[in-house]
């Protein structure tokens, strides 16, 4: 190998080592082929509990990024040709060393014929630019049941696929503007965590951002299922915890809190967790609304709510509008939109909030006035009162 090629190989391997160190959570595998005449020798690198495991000529060796790259460099000196294929989520890097010199190529995973056909399904909205593309996100979409095993789009799942992509489209601007080193996403009342997986894919594979995703749910069964899905997908940057949000202590560096169809007070618990964590962004889609139904009193409007269906629907609007106002009172800039058609589900409101870092006395006064008028106390109120009490006690302790 010429000196110029040695220097180039060293530089390129430095880049591979940096990927192995920085992107360990996104690493899939690395494969090496060494050729000498008609003889061929294989080596592979796989993620281990700590570091990596190198397999070569019947032996297994624990290595770090530098040791693996040094191994490839040494073998490249001995053989006529050396090839390295490094696979990361969404990216394949190929490095070749032979008589012609040192060459590197980087490419995205190629879609199968079935995946390409699924992406061209006439039932999809051809006028939209999908963020979670069938031909690129196939392993994920297979895992959550959107695609068949051979990569074809299930016709009865097209509506769900569109819902997922519309949600991502509406929250995308929050993350596109974020300039943090790492995005920490907390999914409260995550259930089967489909939204967690989709957002994880979008943040890393589409936006190319470093991210960590935490799913929390009180149901141990769905948490175990989510952990198994993450393992099958190789999504090592995801953590799932079985916990009651009433007692859950979020990490201090949460970028965003999301929640999809968390039932009744679970949405309040998600919003309270976001406020406690001082999350920069919130994106919640509430579900059934029960807590305030028997609480609110509007004597002058009782003739309009005497029918149960009107009272329940008014309660839905009342609950979510109070949640939005409460977030404003806590220093968030809030918008509320329909993220999908009500024909898909009547629970189609998306509450988006961006933390301003400034108090909003006017919104707080308006919220307190509405609460007094209606005579209501929500779970969100109780959680925020608890937080204020904790702050008060901590402040007193510091003074003492």
């Amino acid at each position: 190998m010429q000196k110029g090629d040695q220097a180039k190989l060293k530089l390129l391997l430095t880049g591979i080592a940096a990927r192995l160190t920085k992107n360990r959570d996104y690493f899939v595998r690395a494969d090496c082929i060494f050729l000498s005449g008609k003889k061929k020798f294989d080596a592979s690198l796989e993620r281990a509990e700590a570091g990596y495991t190198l397999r070569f000529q019947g032996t297994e060796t624990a290595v770090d990024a530098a040791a693996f790259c040094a191994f490839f460099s040494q073998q490249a000196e001995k053989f006529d040709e050396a090839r390295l294929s490094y696979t990361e989520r969404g990216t394949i890097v190929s490095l070749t060393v032979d008589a012609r010199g040192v060459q590197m190529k980087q490419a995205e995973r190629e879609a199968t014929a079935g995946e390409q056909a699924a992406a061209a399904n006439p039932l999809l909205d051809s006028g939209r630019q999908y963020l979670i593309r069938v031909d690129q996100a196939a392993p994920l979409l297979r895992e959550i049941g959107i695609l068949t095993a051979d990569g074809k789009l299930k016709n009865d799942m097209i509506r769900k696929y569109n819902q997922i992509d519309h949600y991502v489209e509406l929250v995308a601007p929050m993350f596109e503007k974020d300039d943090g080193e790492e995005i920490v996403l907390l999914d409260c009342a995550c259930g089967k965590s489909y939204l967690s997986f989709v957002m994880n894919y979008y943040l890393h594979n589409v936006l190319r951002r470093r991210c960590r995703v935490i799913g929390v749910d009180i149901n141990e069964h769905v948490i175990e299922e989510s952990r198994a899905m993450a393992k099958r997908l190789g999504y090592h940057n995801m953590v799932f915890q079985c916990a009651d949000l009433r007692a859950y202590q979020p990490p201090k560096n949460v970028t965003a809190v999301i929640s999809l169809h968390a039932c009744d007070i679970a949405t309040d618990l998600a919003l309270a967790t976001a406020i406690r964590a001082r999350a920069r962004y919130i994106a919640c889609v509430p579900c059934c609304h029960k807590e305030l139904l028997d609480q609110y009193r509007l004597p002058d409007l009782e003739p309009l709510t005497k029918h149960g269906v009107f009272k329940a629907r008014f309660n839905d609007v009342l609950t979510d509008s109070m949640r939005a106002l409460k977030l404003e009172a806590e220093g968030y800039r809030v918008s509320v939109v329909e993220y999908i058609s009500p024909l898909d589900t009547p629970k189609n409101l998306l509450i988006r909030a961006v933390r301003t870092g400034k108090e909003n006395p006017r919104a707080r006064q308006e919220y307190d006035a509405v609460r007094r008028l209606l005579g209501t106390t929500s779970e969100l109120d109780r959680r925020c009162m608890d937080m204020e009490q904790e702050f008060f006690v901590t402040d007193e302790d510091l003074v003492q």
Side-chain angles (χ1 to χ4, degrees):
M1 191 187 306
Q2 300 293 326
K3 287 186 177 180
D5 290 335
Q6 290 176 339
K8 184 177 180 180
L9 177 61
K10 182 178 180 181
L11 179 63
L12 294 177
L13 286 175
T14 299
I16 295 291
R19 281 181 175 271
L20 284 167
T21 302
K22 188 176 181 181
N23 296 347
R24 186 172 184 274
D25 285 342
Y26 315 115
F27 172 78
V28 178
R29 64 179 291 114
D31 296 288
C32 305
I33 298 175
F34 304 108
L35 301 171
S36 180
K38 294 183 179 181
K39 294 183 179 179
K40 175 182 172 184
F41 301 90
D42 297 325
S44 66
L45 184 73
E46 296 179 2
R47 194 176 188 273
E49 195 72 27
Y52 297 93
T53 299
L54 173 64
R55 292 184 172 87
F56 183 53
Q57 294 185 332
T59 63
E60 294 187 0
T61 308
V63 296
D64 58 13
F68 170 71
C69 290
F71 159 80
F72 182 82
S73 180
Q74 290 165 4
Q75 300 305 318
E77 290 279 1
K78 299 177 183 178
F79 290 88
D80 299 332
E81 183 177 347
R83 303 174 193 163
L84 167 61
S85 177
Y86 170 90
T87 305
E88 213 175 76
R89 267 177 52 192
T91 303
I92 299 175
V93 178
S94 300
L95 177 61
T96 303
V97 183
D98 56 22
R100 292 172 295 178
V102 180
Q103 298 177 345
M104 176 180 276
K105 295 181 181 179
Q106 181 171 320
E108 295 184 353
R109 168 189 172 276
E110 292 185 6
T112 65
E115 292 160 5
Q116 291 174 352
N121 191 307
L123 295 179
L124 292 178
D125 185 352
S126 59
R128 289 192 68 239
Q129 288 289 332
Y130 284 84
L131 296 177
I132 312 299
R133 289 176 49 181
V134 172
D135 55 341
Q136 295 178 352
L140 165 67
L141 295 176
R142 271 196 297 267
E143 185 64 43
I144 64 177
I146 303 293
L147 298 181
T148 62
D150 58 352
K152 295 180 180 178
L153 188 62
K154 298 178 182 178
N155 286 340
D156 60 344
M157 297 299 287
I158 290 176
R159 180 176 292 181
K160 180 178 180 181
Y161 172 54
N162 282 324
Q163 290 179 21
I164 290 172
D165 201 75
H166 274 293
Y167 178 95
V168 176
E169 182 181 22
L170 289 170
V171 302
M174 295 179 177
F175 301 103
E176 289 170 355
K177 296 176 182 177
D178 184 80
D179 59 358
E181 182 177 341
E182 179 184 55
I183 293 175
V184 179
L185 188 73
L186 176 60
D187 187 352
C188 292
C190 60
K192 292 184 178 180
S193 307
Y194 293 160
L195 189 59
S196 299
F197 286 103
V198 169
M199 288 303 301
N200 182 23
Y201 174 87
Y202 170 71
L203 293 173
H204 179 70
N205 292 61
V206 180
L207 287 190
R208 300 294 181 181
R209 295 292 305 277
R210 292 184 58 77
C211 63
R212 183 158 51 95
V213 180
I214 305 167
V216 180
D217 199 282
I218 199 170
N219 186 323
E220 187 173 354
H221 177 67
V222 297
I223 289 297
E224 288 299 327
E225 282 190 344
S226 298
R227 288 170 179 165
M229 288 173 65
K231 185 175 182 179
R232 288 193 294 269
L233 286 166
Y235 284 14
H236 303 295
N237 64 322
M238 301 187 78
V239 175
F240 296 95
Q241 298 177 321
C242 184
D244 188 331
L245 288 172
R246 294 179 182 87
Y248 176 71
Q249 293 293 327
K252 295 180 180 179
N253 57 341
V254 171
T255 307
V257 168
I258 61 173
S259 181
L260 179 63
H261 291 155
C263 193
D264 196 22
I265 64 169
T267 292
D268 288 326
L269 294 173
L271 295 176
T273 301
I275 293 169
R276 175 187 290 274
R278 296 180 178 271
R280 284 179 242 166
Y281 314 114
I282 302 172
C284 286
V285 177
C287 192
C288 48
H289 307 70
K290 299 176 182 178
E291 187 184 26
L292 302 188
L293 187 59
D294 296 323
Q295 287 191 40
Y296 78 85
R297 294 289 181 271
L298 288 170
D300 294 340
L301 293 182
E302 282 185 2
L304 300 181
T305 58
K306 62 183 178 182
H307 298 288
V309 65
F310 291 153
K311 184 176 177 65
R313 290 187 180 182
F314 183 76
N315 174 68
D316 290 354
V317 175
L318 182 73
T319 301
D320 286 335
S321 58
M322 289 187 71
R323 285 167 171 163
L325 185 56
K326 179 63 174 175
L327 288 174
E328 290 181 12
E330 295 294 334
Y332 284 85
R333 184 174 66 254
V334 181
S335 62
V336 183
V337 296
E338 287 187 327
Y339 87 103
I340 52 171
S341 167
L343 296 177
D344 291 328
T345 173
K347 310 301 182 183
N348 69 333
L349 292 184
L350 170 62
I351 300 175
R352 297 178 299 187
V354 179
R355 189 168 180 268
T356 65
K358 300 177 183 178
E359 294 184 358
N360 191 333
R362 179 179 176 180
R364 190 174 293 278
Q365 291 172 3
E366 290 174 343
Y367 183 78
D368 291 341
V370 170
R371 273 194 61 216
R372 288 192 298 269
L373 174 65
L374 298 173
T376 60
T377 300
S378 69
E379 186 66 20
L380 180 56
D381 295 325
R382 287 188 287 274
R383 293 298 109 198
C384 287
M385 289 175 190
D386 289 345
M387 281 185 262
E388 290 171 2
Q389 184 63 30
E390 288 175 11
F391 176 79
F392 176 75
V393 171
T394 304
D395 195 44
E396 276 192 337
D397 292 341
L398 288 173
V399 171
Q400 291 176 359

